[in-house]
Amino acid sequence: MKCARGIFRMLAHPAPHPGCPWNLQHKRGQTAGRFPGNGGGHVPVELVGDSPAVRGDPFAVEDKTKASFTEALEAFSRGDVRRRGHVEFIYAALSKMAEFGVERDLAVYNRLLDVFPKEVFVPRNFIQRMFNHYPRQQECGVQVLEQMENYGVIPNMETKVLLLRIFGEKGHPTRKFQRLMYWFPKFKNLNPFPVPHQLSLDQVELADFSLKRIANDLDARVTVFQAPGVDVTESGEQVTRAHLVGIQSPQQMELLRKHDPSRPVFVEGPFPLWLRKTCVHYYILRAEPVPPDEQVEEPYDPERCFFYPLELDLDLDRDLGDMETFDVEDLDEGPVFAMCMTNQGDQVTLNRWISGLQENNPILGQIPTLFRLESGSGELRAETPKEAGPPEEEEEVVAEQGRN
């Protein structure tokens, strides 16, 4: 009985052969290095000849470009044929892609999938498929496709071929690829107001894009009232000139022309507008709602809206329970006459905007203008954590009625 137990122990834990690679690696003094890019996970250091193929963090380079990222992937692939430690390496590479600016590059994702060993994780029978063959590697492959989905990267045929060679037709990453290819083409161009991934660095172009996005009127005209630049005073001091871009449609000009000069208009803002991770601010010129007893209903223009009728005149037999009118809940917030964007939202800069609007809207010279400006900076800024604090106070300033 004791002899049988000893034989089973030898079969379960065989002694290493003097010439096996594991024994040779220990003789060379190989150690496993800790990978700081993946939460302290272990990445084995494979030996090629007498020098390690991967030492420390391969992504710790000064020049963080696509070429250096691809070189790190190729260096790991050349280090060992068996690609030992590839799961930890791929997780670390996924976390570093944003730093190298390759998070939206399909070729880099395909090169990252190529790090997996080929035809090793393919299930050979239905039992292996039933028990989730190599679950850790399949989960890693799904994570690569998940990151591609989060950044809106659509796989191609090369991605499919790599997944079939790595995980087979029934693997979870391959099923994930099939779901992506079914839904992504349907939703790729669904947004009628797309925002580019790389926004323009020019302040005037960014303001033009933002104002057109807010107005959503093809007849609206964008006007640059003041271009950014640097002015030199008589004393030799340099003063930065803020940009001032406005937008107004013919319908807004008509509303402003019909406005009662005895009722004031208001300049309010700044209001934030987020474009991906960039926040810009805009200001509006508006008026208070007209009292109900002074409102005059005008007939609807049949060509005002082609998507749904604004008024129906049907000669149909009605029952006692039929409604004679539409149940529409209106919320009147007052008309908005114009909008503008500037990186210096003080009263002096906004006065230039009002003066520029008087060229096409001479009635503004007869209407009192009040400024309701929130204290704080209206400059373009990047995304920052929201800080809790007391509400900002508003200041109201009455401007001169006549402007030249």
mmCIF file of all heavy atoms in Angstrom, residues 65-85:
data_model
loop_
_atom_site.group_PDB
_atom_site.id
_atom_site.type_symbol
_atom_site.label_atom_id
_atom_site.label_comp_id
_atom_site.label_asym_id
_atom_site.label_seq_id
_atom_site.Cartn_x
_atom_site.Cartn_y
_atom_site.Cartn_z
ATOM 1 N N THR A 65 4.753 57.359 -28.346
ATOM 2 C CA THR A 65 4.157 57.422 -29.670
ATOM 3 C C THR A 65 3.695 56.025 -30.071
ATOM 4 O O THR A 65 3.915 55.037 -29.370
ATOM 5 C CB THR A 65 5.156 57.967 -30.696
ATOM 6 O OG1 THR A 65 6.316 57.099 -30.733
ATOM 7 C CG2 THR A 65 5.603 59.374 -30.332
ATOM 8 N N LYS A 66 3.060 55.971 -31.234
ATOM 9 C CA LYS A 66 2.598 54.685 -31.743
ATOM 10 C C LYS A 66 3.778 53.770 -32.062
ATOM 11 O O LYS A 66 3.708 52.546 -31.827
ATOM 12 C CB LYS A 66 1.750 54.909 -33.003
ATOM 13 C CG LYS A 66 1.264 53.632 -33.655
ATOM 14 C CD LYS A 66 0.459 53.925 -34.903
ATOM 15 C CE LYS A 66 0.036 52.623 -35.583
ATOM 16 N NZ LYS A 66 -0.766 52.884 -36.824
ATOM 17 N N ALA A 67 4.861 54.332 -32.566
ATOM 18 C CA ALA A 67 6.025 53.511 -32.908
ATOM 19 C C ALA A 67 6.634 52.867 -31.666
ATOM 20 O O ALA A 67 6.986 51.678 -31.677
ATOM 21 C CB ALA A 67 7.064 54.367 -33.638
ATOM 22 N N SER A 68 6.744 53.632 -30.569
ATOM 23 C CA SER A 68 7.321 53.065 -29.355
ATOM 24 C C SER A 68 6.395 52.030 -28.728
ATOM 25 O O SER A 68 6.856 51.027 -28.171
ATOM 26 C CB SER A 68 7.610 54.181 -28.351
ATOM 27 O OG SER A 68 6.429 54.897 -28.028
ATOM 28 N N PHE A 69 5.077 52.231 -28.833
ATOM 29 C CA PHE A 69 4.132 51.248 -28.298
ATOM 30 C C PHE A 69 4.207 49.955 -29.099
ATOM 31 O O PHE A 69 4.217 48.852 -28.530
ATOM 32 C CB PHE A 69 2.719 51.819 -28.336
ATOM 33 C CG PHE A 69 1.699 50.986 -27.613
ATOM 34 C CD1 PHE A 69 1.491 51.151 -26.260
ATOM 35 C CD2 PHE A 69 0.947 50.040 -28.298
ATOM 36 C CE1 PHE A 69 0.551 50.388 -25.589
ATOM 37 C CE2 PHE A 69 0.008 49.275 -27.635
ATOM 38 C CZ PHE A 69 -0.192 49.450 -26.276
ATOM 39 N N THR A 70 4.258 50.068 -30.425
ATOM 40 C CA THR A 70 4.360 48.876 -31.262
ATOM 41 C C THR A 70 5.681 48.160 -31.036
ATOM 42 O O THR A 70 5.742 46.920 -31.051
ATOM 43 C CB THR A 70 4.206 49.268 -32.735
ATOM 44 O OG1 THR A 70 3.003 50.029 -32.904
ATOM 45 C CG2 THR A 70 4.147 48.045 -33.623
ATOM 46 N N GLU A 71 6.730 48.903 -30.792
ATOM 47 C CA GLU A 71 8.030 48.283 -30.531
ATOM 48 C C GLU A 71 8.004 47.484 -29.236
ATOM 49 O O GLU A 71 8.615 46.411 -29.138
ATOM 50 C CB GLU A 71 9.107 49.374 -30.454
ATOM 51 C CG GLU A 71 10.509 48.855 -30.144
ATOM 52 C CD GLU A 71 11.018 47.880 -31.190
ATOM 53 O OE1 GLU A 71 10.615 48.003 -32.369
ATOM 54 O OE2 GLU A 71 11.825 46.999 -30.824
ATOM 55 N N ALA A 72 7.273 47.974 -28.222
ATOM 56 C CA ALA A 72 7.145 47.220 -26.974
ATOM 57 C C ALA A 72 6.397 45.912 -27.198
ATOM 58 O O ALA A 72 6.749 44.867 -26.621
ATOM 59 C CB ALA A 72 6.444 48.074 -25.924
ATOM 60 N N LEU A 73 5.361 45.927 -28.041
ATOM 61 C CA LEU A 73 4.641 44.691 -28.347
ATOM 62 C C LEU A 73 5.518 43.704 -29.100
ATOM 63 O O LEU A 73 5.518 42.495 -28.811
ATOM 64 C CB LEU A 73 3.392 45.008 -29.168
ATOM 65 C CG LEU A 73 2.341 45.929 -28.530
ATOM 66 C CD1 LEU A 73 1.158 46.107 -29.471
ATOM 67 C CD2 LEU A 73 1.874 45.386 -27.193
ATOM 68 N N GLU A 74 6.284 44.194 -30.059
ATOM 69 C CA GLU A 74 7.150 43.305 -30.823
ATOM 70 C C GLU A 74 8.280 42.756 -29.965
ATOM 71 O O GLU A 74 8.694 41.591 -30.131
ATOM 72 C CB GLU A 74 7.713 44.051 -32.032
ATOM 73 C CG GLU A 74 6.646 44.445 -33.060
ATOM 74 C CD GLU A 74 7.233 45.227 -34.207
ATOM 75 O OE1 GLU A 74 8.455 45.565 -34.125
ATOM 76 O OE2 GLU A 74 6.495 45.518 -35.166
ATOM 77 N N ALA A 75 8.782 43.570 -29.042
ATOM 78 C CA ALA A 75 9.850 43.075 -28.160
ATOM 79 C C ALA A 75 9.346 41.947 -27.272
ATOM 80 O O ALA A 75 10.065 40.962 -27.022
ATOM 81 C CB ALA A 75 10.381 44.230 -27.299
ATOM 82 N N PHE A 76 8.116 42.035 -26.792
ATOM 83 C CA PHE A 76 7.571 40.946 -25.982
ATOM 84 C C PHE A 76 7.343 39.701 -26.826
ATOM 85 O O PHE A 76 7.580 38.575 -26.361
ATOM 86 C CB PHE A 76 6.261 41.396 -25.335
ATOM 87 C CG PHE A 76 5.624 40.346 -24.470
ATOM 88 C CD1 PHE A 76 6.018 40.186 -23.150
ATOM 89 C CD2 PHE A 76 4.636 39.515 -24.974
ATOM 90 C CE1 PHE A 76 5.444 39.213 -22.356
ATOM 91 C CE2 PHE A 76 4.054 38.550 -24.186
ATOM 92 C CZ PHE A 76 4.455 38.392 -22.872
ATOM 93 N N SER A 77 6.870 39.875 -28.066
ATOM 94 C CA SER A 77 6.614 38.722 -28.924
ATOM 95 C C SER A 77 7.908 38.008 -29.295
ATOM 96 O O SER A 77 7.937 36.776 -29.408
ATOM 97 C CB SER A 77 5.861 39.158 -30.182
ATOM 98 O OG SER A 77 4.631 39.773 -29.847
ATOM 99 N N ARG A 78 8.983 38.756 -29.486
ATOM 100 C CA ARG A 78 10.260 38.128 -29.818
ATOM 101 C C ARG A 78 10.927 37.479 -28.616
ATOM 102 O O ARG A 78 11.826 36.651 -28.780
ATOM 103 C CB ARG A 78 11.220 39.177 -30.394
ATOM 104 C CG ARG A 78 10.807 39.737 -31.737
ATOM 105 C CD ARG A 78 11.954 40.522 -32.355
ATOM 106 N NE ARG A 78 12.415 41.577 -31.451
ATOM 107 C CZ ARG A 78 12.027 42.840 -31.501
ATOM 108 N NH1 ARG A 78 11.143 43.209 -32.429
ATOM 109 N NH2 ARG A 78 12.497 43.740 -30.656
ATOM 110 N N GLY A 79 10.500 37.844 -27.412
ATOM 111 C CA GLY A 79 11.177 37.360 -26.218
ATOM 112 C C GLY A 79 11.028 35.881 -25.980
ATOM 113 O O GLY A 79 11.964 35.224 -25.528
ATOM 114 N N ASP A 80 9.845 35.315 -26.266
ATOM 115 C CA ASP A 80 9.623 33.904 -25.974
ATOM 116 C C ASP A 80 8.613 33.361 -26.968
ATOM 117 O O ASP A 80 7.589 33.998 -27.248
ATOM 118 C CB ASP A 80 9.103 33.742 -24.541
ATOM 119 C CG ASP A 80 8.943 32.274 -24.157
ATOM 120 O OD1 ASP A 80 9.523 31.427 -24.855
ATOM 121 O OD2 ASP A 80 8.229 31.997 -23.189
ATOM 122 N N VAL A 81 8.852 32.193 -27.485
ATOM 123 C CA VAL A 81 7.944 31.588 -28.443
ATOM 124 C C VAL A 81 6.633 31.219 -27.769
ATOM 125 O O VAL A 81 5.553 31.319 -28.355
ATOM 126 C CB VAL A 81 8.595 30.355 -29.092
ATOM 127 C CG1 VAL A 81 7.642 29.682 -30.073
ATOM 128 C CG2 VAL A 81 9.886 30.738 -29.790
ATOM 129 N N ARG A 82 6.704 30.789 -26.504
ATOM 130 C CA ARG A 82 5.496 30.362 -25.785
ATOM 131 C C ARG A 82 4.665 31.551 -25.285
ATOM 132 O O ARG A 82 3.561 31.351 -24.805
ATOM 133 C CB ARG A 82 5.885 29.471 -24.600
ATOM 134 C CG ARG A 82 6.601 28.194 -25.016
ATOM 135 C CD ARG A 82 6.955 27.369 -23.798
ATOM 136 N NE ARG A 82 7.646 26.148 -24.164
ATOM 137 C CZ ARG A 82 8.958 26.039 -24.356
ATOM 138 N NH1 ARG A 82 9.705 27.126 -24.205
ATOM 139 N NH2 ARG A 82 9.508 24.907 -24.700
ATOM 140 N N ARG A 83 5.204 32.752 -25.350
ATOM 141 C CA ARG A 83 4.498 33.968 -24.912
ATOM 142 C C ARG A 83 4.029 33.846 -23.458
ATOM 143 O O ARG A 83 2.890 34.173 -23.126
ATOM 144 C CB ARG A 83 3.305 34.270 -25.813
ATOM 145 C CG ARG A 83 3.611 34.245 -27.294
ATOM 146 C CD ARG A 83 4.376 35.475 -27.728
ATOM 147 N NE ARG A 83 4.814 35.378 -29.110
ATOM 148 C CZ ARG A 83 4.053 35.691 -30.162
ATOM 149 N NH1 ARG A 83 2.823 36.116 -29.977
ATOM 150 N NH2 ARG A 83 4.530 35.584 -31.390
ATOM 151 N N ARG A 84 4.891 33.369 -22.580
ATOM 152 C CA ARG A 84 4.515 33.249 -21.184
ATOM 153 C C ARG A 84 4.355 34.634 -20.555
ATOM 154 O O ARG A 84 5.174 35.506 -20.765
ATOM 155 C CB ARG A 84 5.563 32.441 -20.414
ATOM 156 C CG ARG A 84 5.437 30.941 -20.657
ATOM 157 C CD ARG A 84 6.619 30.194 -20.108
ATOM 158 N NE ARG A 84 7.808 30.418 -20.933
ATOM 159 C CZ ARG A 84 8.942 29.716 -20.796
ATOM 160 N NH1 ARG A 84 9.042 28.795 -19.880
ATOM 161 N NH2 ARG A 84 9.959 29.974 -21.578
ATOM 162 N N GLY A 85 3.263 34.795 -19.762
ATOM 163 C CA GLY A 85 2.945 36.090 -19.172
ATOM 164 C C GLY A 85 2.234 37.032 -20.118
ATOM 165 O O GLY A 85 2.176 38.239 -19.851
#
